[in-house]
Amino acid sequence: MNMSDLKETGGCGKHIRCKRRRTHERRGFHENRGNASLDSKMTLAQFKDGDKVRILKVLGYGAFRKRLTEMGFVRGEVVTVVKNAPLKDPVEYSIMGYDISLRRTEAAHILVILCDTENISNDDSEYYGIIDDEKLKNKLNSKEDKKIHVAFVGNPNCGKTTLYNGATGSTEHVGNYSGVTVDAKVANITFKDYKFELVDLPGTYSLTSFSQEEKYVREYIIDHKPDIIINVVDASNLQRNLYLTSQLIDMDVKVVLALNMYDEIKSNGAILDYKKLGAMLGIPIIPTIGSKKVGLEDLLDKVVDVFEDRDPSVRHIHINYGQIIEESISRLRERINKEYKITDYVSSRYAAIKLLEKCPDAEEFIVECDSADDIFALQDKEIEKIENSYNDNSETILTDAKFGFIAGALKETFTEPTVKRRRNTDYIDSFITHKVWGIPIFISLMFITFYCTFAFGQYPMEWIESGVGAIGNLVSSYMPNGALKDLLVEGVIGGVGGVIVFLPNILILFLFISLMEDTGYMARAAFIVDRVMHKIGLHGKSFIPLIMGFGCNVPAVMATRTLENKNDRILTILISPFMSCSARLPVYIVFIGAFFPTNSALVLFSMYFIGICLAVLFAKIFKKVLFKNEEAPFVMELPPYRMPVARVVIKHMWTKASQYLKKMGGIILVASILIWVLGYFPREVNYTQDYDLSISKSESNLKEAISLNDSLRINKEKGNIALLKSSKQEEHQKNSYIGKIGEAVSPVLSPLGFDWKMSVSLMTGVVAKEVIVSTMGVLYQVDASDDDAFNLQEKIKTSKSVTPLVAFVFMLFILIYFPCIAVVVAVAKEAGLKWALFLAAYTTIVAWIVSFMVYNIGILLL
């Protein structure tokens, strides 16, 4: 399984994929089955009349798997294909001395190997689909066949991804708030001769259709049928977390429960008899502490036991919903059991419960059945009976029953601490979310983040700058003059090196974002600003994707999946590019360092603040014009504060650093070389004067001045030579290919005060904002072999066309205009192509208008 397979199960495709897969399975068997390798997995549905096979494994679980195994379809048994029906479906099979018919959709769930055929190969080194009893024994016990597909499922903030990272050694980001994992992550590991395919599914509170995460997780379980579900439960909040467990029980899937953060129960003085609770649920429970990798090996051991059916505590229980509801479930089950289109994929009890809960997706699944009208009529009848009996909505009634079951189980197994102490979270929240101090603390933390990003990043930035400068000097010293040397020194080292020096600033920014996420403050920030967000037409939870946008707009766009309302998601996506991402940071640092060194933190903060203000403005405009709908309620968990784990924070920072460095070696390197080529050619241009002759004369005058030891003349001639060389290079660039491009776009951007070099830089910034710095490094002739390595700030500062006002307007334009291609692609995937094109167009237009106004007002005032 790969990531593309997983992505097909996401979004709002409902059960289209289930239907598509069933159609694929009906297409018959593979023509090349005779040449299958020993490791290939074939299904019973692929064989023709007369074939004899042995069963390797029965896929699926629940009532469907039980029905097949009870009929004798167990591992190692021989099955003979007797004959196909005239219409090729169903198929008659012989097993254990009797004949039985199966639909192809059912036979497709049985993995088999061919054990008898006349086409025996004379070459023992090759396998042609023939296997004897000895080979079968080896096959059944081989390491290659011991593959377990495991899905991690749990509430947000339960430590699910921490456990996943501990098991896989992965670096998926862990945050103490809802919606960190916005897509399924896959990793393969080996544990005690077993190959595990581990899938980290998004955090979800239930398996209904309230949010995309819930739909995604439920469809993944139904479509991909993991062998084992690891249900990660927060031990400090059992009653809420076990609601999801109760839904997994209804689904009749194999579950191992990871009782995570078990140390918090002990520290609070509570007592939980988790073995007794597991016996009541029919699910084995393993205590774990994900942040310390405690219990991880026991958890994987238990997965193996459950997979091999060696755990005696595993049993399927039925949650008792009360006599009236149970009678309704039984009547619906009796009718649903006749529809194998349903029971081949989900438990009939689960389907009946979802119908009584009025689940829209369950109803759409029923539509595919031949007797859909009868099932719907029975559904309406039973819902009416339940609601009349309880005088309440059927969905609410079943939810209350689940929580009643959970409360009863905990009453038998959980003992509250005798003395309830006020949690540290409550003490901290009394200040952090205070009605007076909450907002000043929030603003202060944001300012400190930006101040540290600029101030503390300056020192390592200088170290990297010196190191890359030394590399430039080394290349210049040992390479002969020519185009290749110029390419390496000016294009590659000057372009890429001009961007890589900002790596420390990026890391510091992500450090602060990671700390706010991991501690649980990010959720508090959403709580604090919810009223403001509500006033501008946004949901309070929109704040989290927007804050993530300060790191990168791509995950920010993806994180909008945590918003239940579609209009809220699209609205948040449309304003997320106003959140100044880390890719824009290098540009800010260059211009702030050149023109605003004394007020660097304030100017940097102003960029982020202006972006926030624009986001607020356009959110309000779009809400009134494009998204007139009812407000979604603010429902968001405020998780307990937790101490960040240094290992997790460092991993997060390293992941971001590696992504940044990969970008250096990829898109930015290519862009730097392309910009250099466009600026280097053509070599022959018509200059306004003979620069070579003038330089030669000045060099002769310099030699004469040196011989006379005339310091004034020496300095004068050195200045003349530098000026002539710079003027020649400037004139060459204007006549180069890139100069022509700059002149073509200048009429559009010159009203904003931008010269042709700045215009070209903005064009390349469409690919990625970091490319702007590398482009300017090439265009402003920053030579990596100079003593003052990467002195781009000085080059820009001494440019006649760039003033402090122009520098500020340039940063403003970069803040607002076309985010980058990656963001536009992400928007197209999440919201559709039309919204992606709209985003690209409106941000660029707004950038021009705002920059034009600020530039012209600035001229009048200054």
Side-chain angles (χ1 to χ4, degrees), residues 8 14 145 155 258 272 425 491 608 616 662 676 686 772 774:
E8 284 185 8
K14 302 190 187 300
D145 197 47
N155 286 192
L272 174 66
T425 294
Y608 289 85
V616 169
K662 284 177 183 176
W676 179 85
N686 295 319
I772 293 174
S774 62

Side-chain angles (χ1 to χ4, degrees), residues 409-478:
L410 291 178
K411 190 172 183 180
E412 295 281 336
T413 57
F414 184 68
T415 304
E416 295 276 1
T418 53
V419 179
K420 290 189 177 182
R421 295 171 293 179
R422 191 182 183 194
R423 297 184 306 168
N424 291 333
T425 294
D426 298 329
Y427 284 113
I428 298 172
D429 274 345
S430 63
F431 295 97
I432 295 295
T433 60
H434 192 270
K435 61 180 180 181
V436 175
W437 304 113
I439 292 178
I441 289 173
F442 168 71
I443 294 174
S444 299
L445 287 174
M446 294 296 106
F447 182 81
I448 290 170
T449 298
F450 303 132
Y451 175 80
C452 293
T453 297
F454 194 95
F456 294 162
Q458 193 68 31
Y459 303 104
M461 187 176 157
E462 292 173 359
W463 303 335
I464 296 175
E465 187 175 284
S466 300
V468 182
I471 295 173
N473 283 324
L474 188 66
V475 173
S476 288
S477 301
Y478 287 95

